[in-house]
Amino acid sequence: MSQSFSSQNKEQNQKQEVLDQLHKDFESWDKSRQAVYHATEKSWGRLQNYHNDGERIYKDFSDTNGNSMKPFFKKLESLTRTARLEGKENSHPVYRYPSAYLDAIIHVDDAELWALEEGRTDDDIIADQQRTRRKVLEWLAREENSHVLKAMGDGGTDIWAHSKPGGGKTSFANVIGGIRMPEINNETLLWMLTLDELECLPLAPYMTVAVPEGVEYEVHTKPRNPTLPTTEIELTDVFRDTIEYRTPRDLMTKIVPGGLYAVLPDPLFRGCEKQTTATYTPAREADEPAEVTPLRDVNFAFMDTRAKDDEFLHSTTMVHDEFSDLVPLNPEADENDQNRKVKGYPVSQGKGRKKNLSTMTLSHSVARVDEGVREKTRWFVTMPKTPPPSASLSGIGNVPIDKHYINRFADRTGRAVIWRDQNYTPIEWPNPYRNYEFRGEISVSYPRREEALHAM
């Protein structure tokens, strides 16, 4: 039975209500250098008088009670102030043990380290940085913070956050990877998306979605409010803008320093097989479901091209969600060369790290991941109510914390312990979801891929 006119009108009004809420919550910030570059035909060099997204993004995360994110250099100033007043031995562990956290998120290269060690903060390599980064570098150069500067290593970093579902991994990635990294380092962010849930929504007003060229896709939003309908939307109803890419290497020629990108996987896997010398089979070319390459496997090709092709060498953070599915323990030598891909991941990770590539990986379990990948990772973030990995777990090295220490921070969200080798420190971060009211899920689908899967 067809819907009555009044029913159709009601549903249309409800869908408009959903769209209006999205437009209100995710109003784009379009005045940055990165936004203007993607919206116009102006060259990157001609836009140097524009501010970067990282200089502005943290300001958006405030609530109705007047709480807001402080710029990171002011957080650093408060650490120094406490050390002056109470003595370094009584200062926050973040300040006492800088290799546990500050080295993971403040990224410097050899030339910058040399200038800082000699106190040459008026050198162009320091003075020409965006303000939020320059202030951090100037803080590092102070004599009282020399122990922090000595802990700084050059190149990229790798941070692995683990917890049970709902334990805080995603909010950590949004705040530390998506807000602090661009603010502190003018970092370029590549958030590798899964289709069923777009976990980077807090960053959407600053994000460009990289869409595989020529691929049909649909976007739907499902509000938690049961009175509101599932609604088909455009990516730009939520995200700032979109660009197209044909291969992973092609995308690396289109991204810019300090840009935040959400990357949709290419269901055709163009360029992936050549990049990784491993098998990728689209659904339309497979004879049975087992032959179809999982969409997440495009991450291997993106890691590989960033590590080896030298198309883009600016500091970059790549976020991988559901990490234990990407690089599982005991990978099989199956139709999709899973074993070859997984064993090649730490090789790309190591090479990329030398070229200013950082990874931020999120998983429920550390034990379910390949041993070689565990060996390459240097920083772990253990969420409250989450057992730290056992020191007997192969590839993990020394674990300097225990469950009792972790559970001291289980009384509130947005807290965890970050650790490596002998050093560890508790950290906390604000709620990244407080700047919008929309509650629900936004998902992407590829109709032709689904048709091919259903036809098998």
Side-chain angles (χ1 to χ4, degrees), residues 88-201:
K88 182 179 173 182
E89 66 279 3
N90 296 316
S91 63
H92 195 283
V94 164
Y95 188 68
R96 279 184 284 154
Y97 309 112
S99 64
Y101 179 53
L102 296 181
D103 185 27
I105 66 168
I106 301 174
H107 296 158
V108 289
D109 61 28
D110 280 337
E112 290 168 336
L113 281 172
W114 193 358
L116 293 173
E117 288 168 356
E118 296 185 352
R120 294 183 284 106
T121 55
D122 57 347
D123 276 14
D124 290 348
I125 197 170
I126 306 296
D128 288 349
Q129 301 280 355
Q130 67 179 39
R131 179 174 181 268
T132 52
R133 174 165 172 76
R134 187 181 72 251
K135 291 288 188 180
V136 170
L137 297 178
E138 290 172 348
W139 180 87
L140 283 175
R142 294 182 194 169
E143 180 61 31
E144 62 187 330
N145 304 322
S146 60
H147 71 290
V148 181
L149 182 59
K150 289 178 182 177
M152 297 291 106
D154 68 321
T157 55
D158 29 64
I159 304 173
W160 184 346
H162 68 110
S163 76
K164 297 177 181 178
K169 300 184 302 296
T170 303
S171 69
F172 171 82
N174 273 275
V175 174
I176 305 304
I179 300 173
R180 289 306 193 194
M181 292 294 199
E183 177 204 344
I184 298 168
N185 308 308
N186 191 31
E187 198 101 347
T188 298
L189 179 72
L190 298 177
W191 193 303
M192 309 306 295
L193 292 178
T194 57
L195 300 188
D196 54 346
E197 195 171 352
L198 308 185
E199 300 280 21
C200 55
L201 286 182

Side-chain angles (χ1 to χ4, degrees), residues 32 52 71 78 91 103 107 153 238 243 275 343 358 360 388 419 438:
S32 69
N52 292 307
S78 67
S91 63
D103 185 27
H107 296 158
V238 179
I243 59 173
Q275 187 66 50
K343 298 304 181 182
S358 299
M360 184 167 286
W419 52 274
F438 170 77

Side-chain angles (χ1 to χ4, degrees), residues 190 210 243 245 247-255 263 302:
L190 298 177
I243 59 173
Y245 73 92
T247 66
R249 187 172 188 175
D250 177 50
L251 182 59
M252 293 300 163
T253 68
K254 295 178 177 178
I255 60 178
V263 183
F302 275 95

Side-chain angles (χ1 to χ4, degrees), residues 9 26 28 136 146 159 184 198 201 215 244-245 315 335 342-343 368 404 451:
N9 194 46
F26 300 102
S28 296
V136 170
S146 60
I159 304 173
I184 298 168
L198 308 185
L201 286 182
V215 172
E244 291 188 333
Y245 73 92
S315 294
E335 295 91 339
V342 172
K343 298 304 181 182
R368 289 177 49 214
H404 173 73
E451 289 173 6

Side-chain angles (χ1 to χ4, degrees), residues 25 53 80 94 133 149 177 222 263 285 424-425 433 442:
D25 284 342
D53 280 325
T80 306
V94 164
R133 174 165 172 76
L149 182 59
K222 173 62 177 175
V263 183
E285 296 178 9
Y424 57 92
T425 179
Y433 308 101
I442 296 176

Side-chain angles (χ1 to χ4, degrees), residues 158-173 191-192 194 199 296 299 318-329 345 359-370 373-374 377 379-389 393 396 416-417 419 429:
D158 29 64
I159 304 173
W160 184 346
H162 68 110
S163 76
K164 297 177 181 178
K169 300 184 302 296
T170 303
S171 69
F172 171 82
W191 193 303
M192 309 306 295
T194 57
E199 300 280 21
R296 62 176 177 265
N299 292 21
M318 195 175 292
V319 178
H320 301 294
D321 202 357
E322 306 295 343
F323 192 52
S324 55
D325 291 335
L326 180 69
V327 285
L329 187 66
Y345 180 93
T359 54
M360 184 167 286
T361 52
L362 317 175
S363 73
H364 299 155
S365 169
V366 173
R368 289 177 49 214
V369 169
D370 180 73
V373 177
R374 290 199 296 256
T377 301
W379 282 272
F380 292 86
V381 182
T382 302
M383 302 292 168
K385 302 179 182 178
T386 302
L393 185 64
I396 205 70
V417 178
W419 52 274
W429 58 92

